[in-house]
Amino acid sequence: MTVTSLPPDSAPRVRIRVHRLVLYTVLVAVTGLFVGPFGWLVLSGLKTPAELAASPVHWLPGHVQWHNFADAFHLIDFLGYARNSLIIALIYATLVTLSSAWVGFGFARLEAPGKKTLFGILIGSMMLPQMITLLPTYLIFAKLGMVDTYWPWVLWGLAAAPYLVFLFRQFFAGLPRELEEAAIVDGCGYGTIFWRIFLPQSWPVLSASFVIAFTWSWGDYIAPQLLLSTDRSTLAVAVMSTYVTSAGTPVANLQAAASVMYVVPILLIFLIAQRGFVAGMSTTGLK
């Protein structure tokens, strides 16, 4: 009886293939968990109200209702609300990215008494829920006459964001000290060093921070609902509060269709900036 043995290098190849198969299976499962809710949202936007309310659940629409998207677009001033959301998101994302980069540069490269304590307080403020600061924030803006204007988003943008400051601080701390020392020898101040040397090299973190900040502002419902009137309000508020019947009951299929159109700009921005976003998140903190 002859026993055939595998080539010496075949066992490692088999293990590699098994590991890849397991890895791909896990990736597909995780992708399904993330894509599943969006897919269900799309299907809900293609159903009738009766199919959405049916029990047991109708997983697929009996007759695809493509007109739901057109109805959701035309029943409200969709482009007007989208324009308001875009203006607010661009203002906030641009200002908060630059201000967070400046603050992160200061924490990373400057020395001052109590710097570590201030940075700890800044990071600790990330644990405060938004609801705690909502009432005092509204009272401050009401006293300053900024309710029903976009000035709150300008001030929020100039105030920087703790999480983005952390990202920039970690990135700037990893840059070699020789860059800074050579610029100082050439007569550059810290402002010039930041704008002409450090900021141009931080494009991955800039891209990631801009996408994160834009998503925060675009998806915010509470602040626009509290601070803005109906004409100046954002698409998030309009989608949640406008598609209702005369009795005040939400029209779920139109809300779902409008929500799909509401999410599309964020997906496009991420697809365009995904290389910088991934690079910024993966290189932050690496020296």
Side-chain angles (χ1 to χ4, degrees):
M1 180 177 179
T2 58
V3 178
T4 58
S5 59
L6 295 174
D9 59 342
S10 63
R13 291 181 180 178
V14 172
R15 287 196 296 269
I16 291 174
R17 291 177 180 176
V18 172
H19 291 165
R20 286 180 177 177
L21 178 61
V22 173
L23 178 61
Y24 291 155
T25 303
V26 173
L27 290 177
V28 170
V30 173
T31 302
L33 291 175
F34 283 97
V35 176
F38 182 72
W40 180 253
L41 185 66
V42 174
L43 291 177
S44 299
L46 296 173
K47 295 179 180 179
T48 63
E51 288 176 328
L52 285 176
S55 181
V57 176
H58 289 189
W59 296 100
L60 297 176
H63 298 282
V64 177
Q65 308 292 314
W66 292 108
H67 64 84
N68 286 343
F69 290 89
D71 293 342
F73 185 85
H74 293 294
L75 282 177
I76 65 173
D77 186 10
F78 199 92
L79 290 180
Y81 288 120
R83 182 184 64 249
N84 295 341
S85 295
L86 183 62
I87 293 173
I88 290 176
L90 287 177
I91 290 174
Y92 176 75
T94 302
L95 292 178
V96 80
T97 298
L98 294 177
S99 61
S100 299
W102 179 245
V103 177
F105 173 79
F107 277 116
R109 314 304 293 198
L110 303 180
E111 296 296 333
K115 184 181 75 171
K116 292 183 178 180
T117 302
L118 289 176
F119 187 69
I121 295 173
L122 179 73
I123 298 301
S125 65
M126 294 170 57
M127 295 184 291
L128 292 175
Q130 184 185 10
M131 298 302 296
I132 293 179
T133 60
L134 193 60
L135 181 58
T137 299
Y138 176 81
L139 293 177
I140 291 173
F141 290 140
K143 291 290 185 181
L144 295 176
M146 294 182 179
V147 175
D148 200 22
T149 68
Y150 294 156
W151 278 105
W153 283 266
V154 174
L155 297 182
W156 282 328
L158 293 175
Y163 179 67
L164 302 184
V165 171
F166 172 77
L167 291 182
F168 280 105
R169 187 259 185 189
Q170 296 300 101
F171 181 83
F172 289 144
L175 295 180
R177 182 68 64 175
E178 289 77 11
L179 289 173
E180 182 181 339
E181 293 175 349
I184 293 175
V185 170
D186 290 339
C188 295
Y190 277 103
T192 304
I193 293 173
F194 170 74
W195 286 105
R196 302 188 62 179
I197 299 177
F198 278 69
L199 194 63
Q201 297 191 55
S202 64
W203 69 266
V205 189
L206 284 171
S207 177
S209 299
F210 183 86
V211 172
I212 292 172
F214 190 94
T215 304
W216 286 346
S217 182
W218 183 269
D220 188 15
Y221 172 81
I222 297 177
Q225 175 75 357
L226 184 67
L227 297 173
L228 298 177
S229 62
T230 302
D231 294 336
R232 293 177 175 267
S233 192
T234 60
L235 191 57
V237 177
V239 168
M240 293 303 298
S241 59
T242 308
Y243 299 102
V244 295
T245 63
S246 57
T249 305
V251 184
N253 58 337
L254 295 185
Q255 282 188 342
S259 298
V260 172
M261 295 186 289
Y262 167 75
V263 171
V264 166
I266 294 295
L267 295 179
L268 293 177
I269 290 175
F270 178 76
L271 290 176
I272 294 172
Q274 63 175 328
R275 176 178 294 183
F277 180 83
V278 174
M281 299 303 294
S282 60
T283 58
T284 298
L286 298 180
K287 294 188 177 182

